[in-house]
Amino acid sequence: MSEENKGPGKTIIGLECHVQLDTKSKLFCGCPTTAEEPNSACCEICLGFPGSKPVLNRKALDYALRVALALNCEINREFFFSRKTYFYPDMSKNFQITQYEIPVGKGGHIILSSGKKIRIDRVHIEEDPAALVHSEGLDASRYTKVDYNRSGIPLIEVVTAPDLSSPQEARDFLDQLTTVLHYLGVFDLQNGTLKVDSNLSIEGNERAEVKNITGKRSVEKALAYEEVRQKGLVKKGVHMKRETRAFNEQTSTTRSMRSKESEADYGYIFDPDLPTFELSDSHLEEIRGNLPELHGIKAERFMKQYAIDEYTAQVLSANPVLGDLFEDVSKKVDARFAAKFLSRELLAIINYNNLSLATAGLDPAEISALLEMLLKGEVSERNAKQALIKYALEKIPPAKYIEEQGLKKDLDTDQIEDAVDVVLKEQEKAVADFKAGGQKALNFLVGQVMRKTKGKVEAREIQSILEKKLGA
Amino acid sequence: MAKQAIDKKLLLGVAKNARLNLSEKEITEFLPQLSEILESFGKLDELDVSKEKPSFQPIATKNVFREDKVEKCLSQKDALSNTKHKKDGYFLGPKVV
Amino acid sequence: MVSSIAEFVKQVRMEKMDVLEHTAQIFDEIESNSELNHFNVVAKEQAMQQANEIAAGIKIGRHEGKLLGVPISVKDCVCVKGMESRAGSKILSGYKPTFNATVIEKVLVEGAIIIGKTAQDEFGFGTFGTNANIGFEAPKNPLDQDRACGGSSAGSAGFTALTKFTHASIAQSTGGSIASPASFCGVAGFTPTYGLVSRYGLIDYGNSLDKIGTIGKTVEDASLLLGIISGHDPQDSTSLEERFEEKGEAKKIGIVKELFEKSDDKVSKECKKALGKLEAKGFELKEISLPLNSEYGIAAYYLISMTEASTNLARFCGMRYGLHKELEGHFDEYFSSVRSDGFGTEAKRRVLLGTFARMSGFRDAYYLRAMKTRTKLINEFKNAFKEVDVLAHPTMPVIAPKFSEIEKLTPMQNYAMDLCTVPANLAGLPHISVRAGEVNKMPVGLMLTAGHLRENILSSIALEVEGAQ
Ligand SMILES: [Mg+2]
Ligand SMILES: [Zn+2]
């Protein structure tokens, strides 16, 4: 095979993921991690004022240890913090306190949904820089606005080995990672940010690093763009050089950064304002003992224990709140029925309305009551869904809603048949259309009957009465 | 320790990394001074420290923490009180692109 | 005769001493000696207001406070809320801290009056007080104005020697910045164990070396003030939980052979004489050798302190406080422009060397090697303290030099002058410099060093030395 005919090699991807830890206060000071106004959650420490000194937030360390353990890392029993010095307007001290020589965790892994194992090189703790706000207009060319509210929020950085082989795998990795973090209760899926530096290369060539990509979807897009770009260049025989690139959200493309932005000698030193840390056996065991059952293991257990399919088990276990809800509801209601209803209907309502299960405050007892009514045929699926929407959005208990709105199925067969007869009389045209072979007309007639019966009756029941009466 | 002769190129590289613009006069003044100093620091090569652990602090404290509690922070006004580069509650910094 | 702090406070309580008048007088003295450049900030208005409050309190029987009405000056690098705190650097022009250093809180609680910020070498980068940045002049030695005060706590020692009133100063040492000026000005300079006094609010030089300490007219005053400012502080992660030992007996004094040999003969002789008097009082003298510390201390100290300093000084870039320029250009250009204008020559030299020593390719050979060397130097002290309780040697190898002499030194020759003070500082050991004699009518300081947290035995021996003068 000649050189030209040989296609470009495999795609090789490694990720450095920065995740904000969901603590109340910052990594080295007591400022809150949320704020309304710019620069209103800052003190001399996170602003880097001369004379201030850092003190480590115990919870941030515990959270980092949880993550490292959950990602199957080996824990370093003795570690310290370093100063990574570089100049940038978002840096309050022009050095970042991070871990360099000895991270809290090393040598872990994550299993992708395909079963592929992705190695994790290290998990370390560091502080978030401030947020730069680039204002529009003329002024924008002269300065950058800086908000130090974010400065000093605890981050963990999770660094993978170059084991990922496609943008889709990278996305799957990030999904698995955020699920673990959410499970551990250390990451706020709604408000916490995930920032990724991604390295992609085509086998046998130098890699390009795309820095500072926010969000999982953007990472996938940036990598997809890089993969196509690099493969194209390699095909043309262009010699790839190692470089740092930036991602443009608007265009989903990457561009080369000026060498000035990427070239740095961080000159790491031990941070002499902080002590060294030594983990005791008991401290580590306490954290290990409090680790929750993680989603992979939970999904397997769901499949066995409740005899549900793999897909549904995975959906239910992807979110710890949903998993718990399912298990609680299953104590009263048939598990397979509950699994289906929760994984489809409830999740659809939550996602469609941009709600979070963690904050929706759904009571398993209320949901169980609803599902029991549904199973007993006391309420139609349609009205059950309607009641669930009301519950999720307005916290009105479903049983109460059904009662108050008179949505209970309280019609006997005669009453339903009467309603059908009325409709058939009223809708002569539709009846004629149906008889002429119009299936649409049948759906219309079903809808009309449902209206008359306030949706209390299942559509399929109405349809079968209609079909019988129309001699279809 | 590889003896490091400091030349103009290295000096300018270090100065760039430290965000210092050096005048010609400063370069001329610093070059021989820094060479003399570094040569003198090279004295440390005489000692075998291969078995020593670094003493990053003279007395090492261990496991010092604060609890995850929100404490009082500065008002926005106080946070911005030491700079004249401010607008709409933001610090203003030089442009990055 | 100036009364000691303890005596002064007693007088104040008995209303035999007028705090307002005393405070006003000390400001008259500061103003009439302004050409000695001991102060970067003279906080007269603020101090007089404080004095008023204290005087009013005394009238209604508020007598608490170990420093009731005592004028305290503060080295410029220690943050005082609302008071311009520049650490002697132009780059911190206009910086008014939004908070008090822990030591300031401690002295205020005891009724001290903060009279101003004392002059220093920029960020502590100096042995003589002559590395004053643009806008500052080198402080002059009150005993001979052609001579330096010593550094970097130059103004603290200079003014303590000069004043005719009760006063002590909060000073700071990284590699000898309390002992050096105390020695040159003939006052007592007390540098505590690393971590005994909180560094919260101290504008950093080399964090693993920096200690806040005290300078007083006498050992008694310096010790009293040190007792007040020491103690654990949860805001400083390197602050020690322990206090210094309450009691302790010291019998054996080690005479550090190499440091006597390397000092000026006349200076060594004066120190030996003072030690001879101690021997006569029953102390046992023993020659001790510290070959590693006296040979490698300077290099290890300068590498460590410069490396740490180069990261500490990174934050100064004209954005959040201090020197500002018009916001122009790319951030690299703006930061470089502010830093090039704001730092003085010695600061630039140390930032360059410190940056170099931690750059990849060099950090193992310079930064890490220095840190490992430090381990050897600390161990040498540990062994020495198995044989003696206290080590003694000249604080400085010379008497206060003339400005004209200092000008002739190359930076390396200048650094070498710290030979006697850096070892104890590298090891975080408490030490005191006490006046032990004089050469050419200029004071000679004897430096006494003890093991960690043995400040009390230093006080008691230094008192003996002082008493024998
Ligand atoms: Mg990072
Ligand atoms: Zn803060």
Side-chain angles (χ1 to χ4, degrees), chain B residues 72-89:
Chain B
K72 209 174 150 240
C73 37
L74 294 171
S75 67
Q76 187 193 63
K77 188 168 165 268
D78 283 346
L80 291 160
S81 63
N82 272 294
T83 184
K84 62 176 183 187
H85 295 322
K86 55 191 155 187
K87 196 182 181 191
D88 309 328

Side-chain angles (χ1 to χ4, degrees), chain B residues 1 3-4 32-46, chain C residues 295-303 306 353 366 369 410-416:
Chain B
M1 191 185 309
K3 272 270 158 57
Q4 188 60 49
Q33 291 174 346
L34 302 194
S35 295
E36 184 195 2
I37 294 164
L38 284 179
E39 182 165 337
S40 164
F41 289 174
K43 204 176 182 28
L44 294 187
D45 287 355
E46 295 166 11
Chain C
E295 197 66 20
Y296 304 107
I298 292 281
Y301 165 74
Y302 274 96
L303 276 169
M306 286 173 178
L353 284 162
Y366 290 91
R369 178 172 277 271
T410 68
M412 193 59 225
Q413 288 168 332
N414 196 321
Y415 299 164

Side-chain angles (χ1 to χ4, degrees), chain A residues 23-38:
Chain A
T23 53
K24 290 192 189 74
S25 63
K26 292 184 179 179
L27 185 55
F28 295 115
C29 64
C31 292
T33 48
T34 53
E36 301 283 319
E37 297 295 313

Side-chain angles (χ1 to χ4, degrees), chain C residues 193-313:
Chain C
T193 305
Y194 179 83
L196 179 73
V197 177
S198 168
R199 290 185 297 116
Y200 200 81
L202 170 65
I203 300 174
D204 307 303
Y205 164 6
N207 323 52
S208 79
L209 295 151
D210 295 344
K211 296 144 309 266
I212 295 178
T214 61
I215 290 179
K217 272 229 184 277
T218 59
V219 171
E220 185 195 326
D221 282 357
S223 304
L224 177 92
L225 186 56
L226 184 66
I228 289 165
I229 62 173
S230 58
H232 179 246
D233 179 11
Q235 287 189 285
D236 172 2
S237 302
T238 62
S239 165
L240 299 176
E241 305 237 3
E242 309 89 317
R243 305 253 334 161
F244 55 78
E245 291 171 8
E246 282 294 314
K247 275 187 195 136
E249 240 194 302
K251 282 209 177 91
K252 282 193 192 169
I253 300 176
I255 296 177
V256 184
K257 178 173 162 266
E258 294 85 357
L259 299 182
F260 272 94
E261 284 169 6
K262 291 187 180 188
S263 294
D264 181 88
D265 284 348
K266 288 179 189 156
V267 168
S268 290
K269 225 169 121 189
E270 284 297 294
C271 288
K272 285 255 167 81
K273 233 201 290 179
L275 287 166
K277 288 178 193 167
L278 288 178
E279 195 174 25
K281 287 189 171 181
F283 286 94
E284 190 184 319
L285 302 185
K286 185 178 177 172
E287 191 174 78
I288 288 285
S289 181
L290 295 176
L292 298 180
N293 273 285
S294 36
E295 197 66 20
Y296 304 107
I298 292 281
Y301 165 74
Y302 274 96
L303 276 169
I304 293 168
S305 65
M306 286 173 178
T307 307
E308 291 178 359
S310 71
T311 64
N312 290 321
L313 267 55

